[in-house]
Amino acid sequence: MTLNRRLFLGTSIAAAGGLAVPMVRAQGKPRVVVVGGGAGGATAARYIAKDSKGAIDVTLIEPSRTYYTCFFSNLYIGGLRDLQSIAHSYGTLASKFGINVVHDWVISVDRDAKTVSLASGGSLPYDRLILSPGIDFIEDSVPGWSVESQNAMPHAYKGGSQTELLKAQIEAMPQGGTFAMIAPPNPYRCPPGPYERVSMIAHKLKAENPTAKILILDPKEAFSKQALFVEGWQTHYPGMIERIGPDFGGGNVSVNPEEMTVDIDGDVQKVDVCNVIPAQKAGQIAEAAGLTDGNWAPVNPTDLSSSMDENIHVLGDAAAQGAMPKSGFAANSQAKVCANAVGGALTGSTVFPARFSNTCWSLIDTDDGVKVGASYEAGESEIVAIDSFISQTNETAEVREETYEESVGWYQAITEDMFGKA
Amino acid sequence: MPSRPIYLTLLTGTLLAGPVGAQGGDGQALYRECIACHQIGPDSENSVGPHLNDLIGRLAAGVEGYPYSKAMSAAGAAGMVWTKDTLDAFLTNPMDMLPHTSMGYRGMPDPQDRATLIAFLATGPDDATAEATFNVAPEILALQGDLAYGEYLSGDCTACHARGTDDGIPSISGLSRDAFVTLMQAYKQGAVTHPVMTMMAGRLSNEEIAALAAYFESVD
Ligand SMILES: Cc1cc2nc3c(=O)[nH]c(=O)nc-3n(C[C@H](O)[C@H](O)[C@H](O)COP(=O)(O)OP(=O)(O)OC[C@H]3O[C@@H](n4cnc5c(N)ncnc54)[C@H](O)[C@@H]3O)c2cc1C
């Protein structure tokens, strides 16, 4: 059981603060260090800074000056958004919220000394550490592929240059060529992501290269929103997309990046573009800090604190938290619960009960959006779902268009929630 | 990007399936956009907005006992009467026609929809459909919400509701408490349905809705 679990006393909200034991510090403000300026980290940093009104010293460490969201990166590949529209900077977090933004890479965590070391050589002390490092890839999960071959066979599963590369490769495909995607096994970042990507690539190819083929090699029996995607593919892209599941060898695939070939259960095929999305694990720093069990970092559902270290919280894709999918929406939702708990621990501010939600939209074709979502709460040992919904097959074009427009509203809102409104 | 208020358009699709009168059908469905704030038909009373019985020919701000905004009262004092034309202009975008009106509704851009709705307002609802009014119990509207709790709970909303833009998802910042509570209760009680909001409102207690209302009224 968690030591730092705080009880919430019914509707008399003010009472809850009584259980919190504020950090007593000899000097200076309590310090929070956040590693990773993505959906989880940027949100956590902003909420802690905003809610503590300067009482907590917040440092955000992120190597990139520009964060390219993975969300809507498929729309960029499909030609429905430009790159600039999915790029975000950290300027407002620094100027408006007083966050100390450090562009550096954390190489290790000393949990006893409560410090993190930076690639540039320095080290920073923390009272609470928040890790939201996203994902890394499991080596050899697709035989023949390694991170060194990512220029020949991009994953495009971290934002930015990889996404640009994949788009450029698709544009350079010969007429009638073949695009292959190697889909990842569960669990992975953004369950509908690969299939939305296929949809957006089909959208692009339909206009630019209509005789091209798309081949999905999938180790999973079933995938997120499958009925909706399959229906949409039949309607919009008949005959273009073929998916080979595990029953037909989709789970026994290796690649040769030099030859640009894919070996599907012994059948070697030449392809023009190959998008390899390997099996995934928590961003490497979580493992380096000794916070992982298997591939992910287990956390307590009430405040996302690590099961291994109560002064460290792990958010977003890297966390093993229970029922929430690995999505930007989920990371943002977890970050707000974590921020509230960290504020309570360090300044004695009121801690409210954890509540989470998620919605993932996917675009199948222009104005044909679908969504799936759920609400969650903290269960005994992990986050559990309370309620959920999903788009239906056969919805009217009007409903689908509104669903897409909602996703545009969401993108605007969540990126402002992460980075602040300039 | 169309800045159509999605809140309402979806309803058309969802609610047409319900038991609607033979000819009032489309108008009644469009009236769903008003239902959270206005009652119409027998026994109607003022709620968030004034009742809309006998609207055509009525003087603006003409319902006794309803606390109109200065803007609406001034229009009435100047002799503005609700006709098909004035309603058409008002419903296109209330804030454009009457800056500072307290009607927190973004407007109905489609002229055909407006004409259908106005025809419905002129005849009133079918007797067969008692569901043309939605009413929040006064004790629920009277609940005092906790601002700090509301601010925390708003974290569950801000991933979708941006401030100051209605693009794709309506802005909810600055909504009056009554309008906010009524809209949330309408989702919670199923008078208005939308997959996301039905789920979000469904998990909130009346006290939590009051807390959110207090918070969102306080931000602009
Ligand atoms: C194609 C695609 C489509 C998607 N679509 C959606 C969608 O529609 N909706 C949705 O909700 N989600 C979507 N997602 C998922 C979403 O992008 C992730 O779930 C989300 O970004 C996770 O947030 P995070 O904070 O865990 O990690 P990230 O957002 O990846 O942030 C991690 C950050 O940490 C930094 N970092 C890592 N290690 C270190 C270190 N040692 N030191 C310093 N910094 C470090 C990285 O540079 C990175 O910026 C999509 C993902 C993909 C790939």
Side-chain angles (χ1 to χ4, degrees):
Chain A
M1 234 357 273
T2 58
L3 294 169
N4 51 352
R5 177 169 189 158
R6 238 155 251 110
L7 296 175
F8 176 71
L9 307 173
T11 44
S12 60
I13 290 135
L19 288 174
V21 184
M23 265 283 308
V24 184
R25 283 181 57 89
Q27 46 164 343
K29 298 182 198 171
R31 287 165 176 268
V32 170
V33 171
V34 182
V35 180
T43 309
R46 191 173 85 82
Y47 271 74
I48 292 170
K50 169 173 89 65
D51 294 346
S52 76
K53 301 188 175 65
I56 296 177
D57 185 75
V58 183
T59 300
L60 175 63
I61 309 174
E62 160 64 48
S64 311
R65 283 170 196 279
T66 304
Y67 178 81
Y68 292 92
T69 57
C70 282
F71 25 110
F72 276 22
S73 68
N74 290 327
L75 277 63
Y76 159 73
I77 292 174
L80 281 87
R81 296 281 284 216
D82 62 26
L83 195 61
Q84 217 35 53
S85 77
I86 57 170
H88 303 271
S89 81
Y90 296 92
T92 307
L93 290 182
S95 64
K96 238 177 150 168
F97 295 91
I99 295 167
N100 181 18
V101 180
V102 176
H103 292 297
D104 209 328
W105 185 258
V106 173
I107 48 173
S108 64
V109 178
D110 183 335
R111 282 163 46 190
D112 295 325
K114 294 217 257 173
T115 57
V116 299
S117 315
L118 303 178
S120 66
S123 91
L124 285 171
Y126 64 82
D127 295 308
R128 287 285 172 128
L129 177 64
I130 297 175
L131 299 182
S132 194
I135 53 151
D136 269 309
F137 301 118
I138 295 177
E139 266 171 58
D140 290 330
S141 64
V142 178
W145 191 90
S146 71
V147 175
E148 286 76 60
S149 28
Q150 69 177 9
N151 288 343
M153 293 188 170
H155 53 77
Y157 234 61
K158 297 184 183 185
S161 57
Q162 274 278 304
T163 318
E164 280 182 274
L165 176 64
L166 182 63
K167 182 170 195 249
Q169 289 186 351
I170 293 163
E171 280 162 2
M173 258 167 75
Q175 287 295 310
T178 300
F179 166 90
M181 167 187 282
I182 301 184
N186 289 322
Y188 60 96
R189 151 178 286 188
C190 194
Y195 310 96
E196 181 188 56
R197 175 172 292 170
V198 162
S199 308
M200 287 293 95
I201 290 171
H203 167 82
K204 186 175 176 65
L205 291 175
K206 189 177 168 181
E208 296 168 9
N209 190 347
T211 54
K213 292 274 178 260
I214 295 178
L215 184 61
I216 309 171
L217 305 168
D218 204 332
K220 301 182 292 301
E221 292 287 350
F223 60 89
S224 169
K225 302 187 215 175
Q226 185 159 2
L228 297 165
F229 280 115
V230 169
E231 176 197 53
W233 294 344
Q234 274 160 3
T235 312
H236 300 293
Y237 319 113
M240 185 181 262
I241 301 168
E242 184 191 357
R243 173 173 172 271
I244 300 181
D247 293 349
F248 296 91
N252 182 22
V253 172
S254 64
V255 296
N256 183 332
E258 268 127 58
E259 305 287 328
M260 283 305 288
T261 56
V262 187
D263 180 328
I264 310 158
D265 210 13
D267 171 25
V268 178
Q269 287 201 26
K270 180 122 184 61
V271 299
D272 298 290
V273 177
C274 188
N275 176 203
V276 177
I277 309 176
Q280 297 165 23
K281 60 179 182 181
Q284 193 272 334
I285 191 67
E287 191 181 341
L291 300 171
T292 50
D293 176 9
N295 292 323
W296 311 99
V299 295
N300 297 309
T302 45
D303 59 359
L304 285 300
S305 61
S306 161
S307 312
M308 324 258 178
D309 187 330
E310 60 172 351
N311 294 312
I312 304 183
H313 302 250
V314 185
L315 306 178
D317 292 352
Q321 33 66 25
M324 297 185 82
K326 299 185 185 301
S327 75
F329 200 120
N332 167 268
S333 175
Q334 293 158 14
K336 290 179 248 189
V337 169
C338 171
N340 180 245
V342 167
L346 298 181
T347 67
S349 59
T350 313
V351 178
F352 296 107
R355 55 202 297 140
F356 309 93
S357 60
N358 179 63
T359 296
C360 284
W361 287 266
S362 301
L363 189 60
I364 300 178
D365 196 354
T366 311
D367 290 337
D368 189 0
V370 292
K371 64 185 167 196
V372 57
S375 55
Y376 305 85
E377 64 188 10
E380 258 314 301
S381 59
E382 55 177 32
I383 296 177
V384 294
I386 319 173
D387 193 7
S388 67
F389 66 84
I390 183 164
S391 295
Q392 303 300 304
T393 50
N394 263 317
E395 283 171 339
T396 62
E398 243 189 339
V399 168
R400 290 296 176 84
E401 186 182 341
E402 278 148 13
T403 303
Y404 166 63
E405 282 165 10
E406 274 171 38
S407 73
V408 174
W410 160 76
Y411 186 88
Q412 174 77 18
I414 194 173
T415 50
E416 281 177 22
D417 208 33
M418 291 163 62
F419 299 106
K421 192 169 173 161
Chain B
M1 191 72 37
S3 67
R4 188 153 50 98
I6 301 239
Y7 158 48
L8 307 164
T9 31
L10 241 174
L11 303 179
T12 327
T14 320
L15 294 163
L16 268 173
V20 286
Q23 45 100 272
D26 287 352
Q28 177 118 3
L30 288 163
Y31 182 74
R32 288 285 176 165
E33 305 208 6
C34 329
I35 203 169
C37 302
H38 291 289
Q39 303 191 359
I40 190 165
D43 302 324
S44 289
E45 292 170 8
N46 298 334
S47 55
V48 177
H51 75 73
L52 297 181
N53 285 346
D54 306 318
L55 183 62
I56 305 287
R58 208 167 90 182
L59 196 64
V63 175
E64 218 157 296
Y66 179 82
Y68 288 98
S69 65
K70 283 200 187 114
M72 188 66 78
S73 304
M80 187 173 87
V81 170
W82 293 119
T83 64
K84 290 190 175 166
D85 289 340
T86 51
L87 275 172
D88 189 65
F90 183 57
L91 296 177
T92 305
N93 185 335
M95 266 69 103
D96 266 5
M97 182 192 182
L98 264 185
H100 308 298
T101 173
S102 52
M103 169 150 140
Y105 169 69
R106 282 168 297 282
M108 187 178 282
D110 186 289
Q112 190 56 51
D113 283 354
R114 286 195 307 275
T116 309
L117 175 64
I118 292 166
F120 168 80
L121 292 171
T123 56
D126 245 304
D127 294 343
T129 51
E131 48 162 354
T133 61
F134 174 74
N135 212 349
V136 179
E139 59 273 21
I140 292 182
L141 278 179
L143 284 173
Q144 290 299 314
D146 182 283
L147 194 71
Y149 189 31
E151 179 168 11
Y152 169 71
L153 291 172
S154 75
D156 238 8
C157 324
T158 48
C160 286
H161 291 280
R163 278 157 73 167
T165 165
D166 292 325
D167 246 8
I169 296 179
S171 162
I172 54 173
S173 303
L175 270 184
S176 80
R177 284 172 27 136
D178 281 2
F180 185 94
V181 171
T182 309
L183 288 163
M184 292 301 283
Q185 290 289 346
Y187 288 120
K188 185 175 163 70
Q189 297 174 28
V192 174
T193 58
H194 177 271
V196 172
M197 286 310 303
T198 302
M199 178 180 86
M200 297 307 295
R203 78 187 292 194
L204 294 167
S205 67
N206 293 338
E207 287 75 18
E208 288 170 335
I209 289 176
L212 282 160
Y215 172 70
F216 278 109
E217 189 180 52
S218 76
V219 293
D220 38 49

